[in-house]
Amino acid sequence: MELFNYKRRQSTVVQVGGVAIGGNNPIRLQSMTTTSTLDTNGSVEQTKRIVDAGGEIVRLTTQGIREAENLRNINIALREQNIFVPLVADVHFNAKVADVSACYAEKVRINPGNYVDPARKFEHLEYTDEAYSQELKNLEERFVSFLNICKENHTAIRIGVNHGSLSDRIMSRYGNTPSGIVESCMEFLRICKREKFAHVVISIKSSNTIVMVQSVRQLIAAMEQEDLFFPLHLGVTEAGNGEDGRIKSALGIGALLSDGIGDTIRVSLTEPPENEIPVAKALVDYFKSRENHPYIPATACESFDYLSPQRRKTNAVRNIGGDHVPVVIADRMDGGTVVNSQFTPDYIYAGAARPEGAESTNQQYILDAPAWRGEANTWPAFQVEQLYALPAVESPLKFLFLTYLQCGEEVIACLRHHPEVVVVIQSNHPNRSGEMRALIHQLMNAGIQNPTVIFQHYQLSNLEALQIDAAADCGALMIDGFCDGLYLHNQGTLTHAQVDAVAFGILQAARLRVSKTEYISCPGCGRTMYDLEETIEKIKAATAHLKGLKIGIMGCIVNGPGEMADADYGYVGAGRGKISLYKGHHCMIKNIPQEEAVERLLAFIEEDRKK
């Protein structure tokens, strides 16, 4: 893997109707309808809105034979209006539905966790090698039959593994781990290879960005070992809505796009599906601008494990580095002192002088070195050209802004003798995450253990653009374990409070620091029997004060119970007008009328937290 220089991963080309995925083709944008697939007119109209927004592929849920057969009517209605977008059938729990869908859709998505294996009971099963082998033979027999239908109809497939829906069989042998996720996928890919079926796209998704990114990295390594180069579909499942959904999606997807990984993407938002396309397009365009960038010469540290990275070992300087959660640094160079009590920066950079009235705010201010006079609660920030002055300042905490090109032998020697210095890494390179990676690897190769703060600078006046760009720039660095702090600097018209909230949101999306309630909510589909958008807003309004709690809000049981394992509490559609409440992946209260469900969830959480 090329860590420092952006280059698209080479994959095979898969034709999905009139759209080619992989190879040198553009990264394709897609979404999924939320209408019932039996509602032909509603599905057609929503598909048209997705296409009008720029969507190139549209997926529809097919939970039964009737839905699968109605894809034919939806396809005809679209073609009659000169709309030739490929349709993808989304199949769970019923392999026969996949067979039927392959006759009417350009692509069929199957989920290895429930294609043949029985529904999950979250039980540990004991398998002998012989019994496990027999299960694989049963899987192969059923899957080969499906592949033959796909061959006859020129239908592509997506093998879509979800962290939340691994089978009990896989989890019993491999655990709920990236290794288990990868093996769940590889079982099917090996059959495709033996059957010489090449029209395969792959996805591995999770609501946990770390699991999602590490699983995809490990899948690519496993495929390369077996000479497989299928294109990849990227997405963070159950990302949520609003700021949370955009930041989490951009961080997870961006971490992979920055390494050239990904041939088609779907941003899963609990919003109208056409809202997903502009976010996906912004991500793709942002990374496309890195193509043909100036070469970054760098040497990877041998101890760095790209497939299963751990947090870089650093010496703690006060509350920065070591085992401390990453800090947030903000700036108030305009003299402002106002902070949001929920998203209060740990340090505020003020430039030459502390703002007037700062003494009463209890904030830790950082000043430029020449302005520092030894105040008890003030620490200086150094520009690299002031390196010669660093030893003369008797401060317990010093900040040194540093770029890759500036990090020469003199800087390395200075850092080696001054462990109290926190390095603030920055870049003006078109591939800023690659150059920042190069700087960290240079420090690691030199044995430097000073903490590092990621500095990202922008000139944006659109909040969504900042959420997407900043999360995308930080994703790979944070997944790699290179973040002891984050400093976002924006010269647009956004408020300090907005920028601070984005910084804390990025750290939470990377699972590095919790500052608010986290919501794991699916985007909805034709299986959903209640208003997801309205429900999530009600639950957010009632639980926003429960900092650190993870609440899952799921439309149905496909991924619901599985993703509940990563949430503290869950709200899952159980049927038309019925909701079940979960603690972890255990169903605690079944089939509550929808009208009562939000209040019952809040009462259940309150009572359970008293225990």
Side-chain angles (χ1 to χ4, degrees):
M1 173 57 62
E2 170 56 66
L3 295 174
F4 313 113
N5 294 283
Y6 178 80
K7 182 181 179 182
R8 285 278 302 277
R9 165 186 172 264
Q10 287 302 299
S11 63
T12 54
V13 176
V14 173
Q15 197 71 33
V16 182
V19 175
I21 299 175
N24 294 321
N25 292 289
I27 298 173
R28 304 300 188 179
L29 313 179
Q30 58 179 285
S31 184
M32 183 175 183
T33 62
T34 58
T35 52
S36 167
T37 311
L38 295 176
D39 178 3
T40 302
N41 291 335
S43 297
V44 167
E45 290 306 309
Q46 195 171 75
T47 297
K48 288 164 62 178
R49 291 196 294 275
I50 294 171
V51 172
D52 288 343
E56 299 169 281
I57 299 169
V58 176
R59 182 159 46 116
L60 302 93
T61 188
T62 51
Q63 60 265 51
I65 300 293
R66 291 174 61 217
E67 286 84 357
E69 290 177 337
N70 200 52
L71 288 174
R72 179 177 183 272
N73 297 323
I74 295 170
N75 228 323
I76 291 172
L78 288 166
R79 305 318 178 228
E80 287 177 344
Q81 299 180 55
N82 293 318
I83 298 171
F84 298 97
V85 63
L87 300 185
V88 181
D90 193 63
V91 179
H92 298 275
F93 301 118
N94 191 334
K96 178 61 178 175
V97 172
D99 296 345
V100 175
S101 298
C103 300
Y104 303 116
E106 282 77 23
K107 184 168 73 169
V108 178
R109 180 273 175 103
I110 62 169
N111 184 339
N114 55 41
Y115 177 70
V116 172
D117 285 305
R120 295 153 298 157
K121 297 181 180 179
F122 299 98
E123 296 177 349
H124 182 80
L125 306 175
E126 294 293 341
Y127 281 93
T128 64
D129 289 343
E130 291 76 14
Y132 200 90
S133 178
Q134 184 59 50
E135 291 286 338
L136 291 180
K137 288 180 180 178
N138 295 340
L139 182 158
E140 180 169 359
E141 181 179 344
R142 187 65 188 83
F143 187 51
V144 168
S145 173
F146 167 64
L147 292 181
N148 288 333
I149 297 173
C150 291
K151 289 177 182 178
E152 292 174 9
N153 290 276
H154 305 286
T155 305
I157 69 171
R158 170 155 73 94
I159 298 174
V161 185
N162 272 35
H163 180 212
S165 57
L166 293 179
S167 68
D168 288 340
R169 175 177 63 83
I170 284 290
M171 288 199 292
S172 294
R173 176 154 291 198
Y174 295 93
N176 192 19
T177 63
S179 296
I181 294 170
V182 169
E183 183 59 24
S184 181
C185 184
M186 291 299 295
E187 289 180 348
F188 284 74
L189 293 185
R190 293 182 187 114
I191 297 172
C192 290
K193 183 178 182 180
R194 286 198 294 270
E195 294 300 310
K196 295 180 172 55
F197 186 88
H199 307 295
V200 182
V201 180
I202 309 161
S203 70
I204 287 182
K205 297 187 180 182
S206 173
S207 62
N208 182 322
T209 55
I210 296 174
V211 172
M212 173 259 195
V213 173
Q214 290 190 10
S215 298
V216 172
R217 289 179 178 181
Q218 291 181 25
L219 173 67
I220 291 172
M223 285 201 299
E224 289 179 351
Q225 286 184 348
E226 301 190 30
D227 200 31
L228 300 173
F229 301 93
F230 296 117
L232 288 166
H233 166 130
L234 304 184
V236 177
T237 191
E238 283 91 36
N241 67 349
E243 177 177 274
D244 294 342
R246 284 156 178 78
I247 289 177
K248 185 182 284 189
S249 295
L251 189 139
I253 297 172
L256 293 166
L257 289 178
S258 67
D259 288 340
I261 297 168
D263 302 286
T264 178
I265 68 173
R266 190 262 173 116
V267 173
S268 299
L269 300 177
T270 313
E271 298 178 22
E274 59 266 28
N275 288 9
E276 298 177 349
I277 301 300
V279 180
K281 186 177 188 305
L283 265 173
V284 169
D285 290 347
Y286 193 55
F287 285 98
K288 185 174 177 57
S289 67
R290 302 187 183 192
E291 292 179 353
N292 303 312
H293 65 72
Y295 182 73
I296 302 170
T299 302
C301 179
E302 290 186 0
S303 64
F304 174 67
D305 185 352
Y306 175 77
L307 300 182
S308 300
Q310 303 297 316
R311 184 175 179 180
R312 171 177 165 255
K313 183 178 180 180
T314 59
N315 300 317
V317 183
R318 296 232 168 184
N319 65 331
I320 307 177
D323 295 326
H324 296 290
V325 297
V327 298
V328 171
I329 299 176
D331 57 51
R332 299 292 190 272
M333 288 181 286
D334 58 1
T337 59
V338 177
V339 296
N340 183 316
S341 59
Q342 183 179 7
F343 305 120
T344 303
D346 301 278
Y347 297 94
I348 293 178
Y349 175 60
R354 278 192 298 175
E356 189 174 337
E359 292 80 2
S360 62
T361 66
N362 295 320
Q363 298 299 315
Q364 304 290 358
Y365 281 87
I366 303 169
L367 302 182
D368 289 326
W372 187 67
R373 296 291 181 269
E375 296 95 330
N377 292 321
T378 306
W379 293 277
F382 280 90
Q383 298 296 331
V384 72
E385 59 267 26
Q386 297 170 320
L387 186 66
Y388 69 91
L390 191 150
V393 181
E394 296 180 0
S395 170
L397 174 60
K398 305 169 187 176
F399 295 89
L400 177 68
F401 283 77
L402 189 64
T403 68
Y404 177 55
L405 294 180
Q406 293 167 328
C407 188
E409 293 181 4
E410 183 183 9
V411 172
I412 293 294
C414 187
L415 293 176
R416 187 170 284 121
H417 287 88
H418 289 278
E420 78 281 7
V421 172
V422 173
V423 178
V424 183
I425 62 172
Q426 59 182 340
S427 173
N428 291 314
H429 195 279
N431 182 16
R432 63 171 71 177
S433 57
E435 191 176 61
M436 287 182 173
R437 254 182 176 166
L439 174 53
I440 296 291
H441 278 263
Q442 185 175 7
L443 296 177
M444 293 170 68
N445 282 326
I448 299 299
Q449 295 187 350
N450 297 63
T452 50
V453 171
I454 298 169
F455 175 82
Q456 303 284 15
H457 59 284
Y458 305 93
Q459 291 180 305
L460 298 170
S461 297
N462 180 282
L463 181 57
E464 180 176 278
L466 180 66
Q467 293 163 353
I468 294 170
D469 291 2
D473 283 328
C474 289
L477 296 166
M478 290 184 172
I479 299 295
D480 286 354
F482 294 161
C483 179
D484 296 307
L486 177 60
Y487 179 1
L488 292 188
H489 173 68
N490 185 62
Q491 293 177 291
T493 59
L494 300 176
T495 67
H496 292 308
Q498 288 173 315
V499 177
D500 294 346
V502 172
F504 279 96
I506 289 172
L507 288 173
Q508 179 140 337
R511 301 295 178 102
L512 296 178
R513 178 172 179 172
V514 175
S515 56
K516 55 186 176 181
T517 313
E518 181 170 346
Y519 301 95
I520 302 171
S521 67
C522 75
C525 67
R527 295 173 181 268
T528 306
M529 299 297 182
Y530 65 92
D531 190 326
L532 266 170
E533 294 178 52
E534 178 183 347
T535 299
I536 190 173
E537 291 305 328
K538 285 183 179 179
I539 293 175
K540 277 188 168 184
T543 61
H545 63 289
L546 300 174
K547 174 182 174 181
L549 208 64
K550 293 197 288 289
I551 299 176
I553 306 163
M554 302 295 176
C556 70
I557 62 169
V558 171
N559 294 318
E563 295 297 345
M564 292 304 98
D566 198 41
D568 299 294
Y569 301 98
Y571 179 108
V572 180
R576 189 171 296 279
K578 299 293 184 181
I579 305 297
S580 294
L581 303 183
Y582 284 71
K583 180 178 180 181
H585 58 241
H586 300 289
C587 184
M588 307 301 289
I589 307 175
K590 295 182 177 180
N591 300 323
I592 302 169
Q594 179 185 340
E595 298 76 20
E596 306 172 14
V598 173
E599 289 73 18
R600 293 283 296 276
L601 172 66
L602 300 177
F604 173 59
I605 291 173
E606 183 177 354
E607 185 64 28
D608 189 64
R609 284 165 63 88
K610 290 179 181 178
K611 296 179 181 178

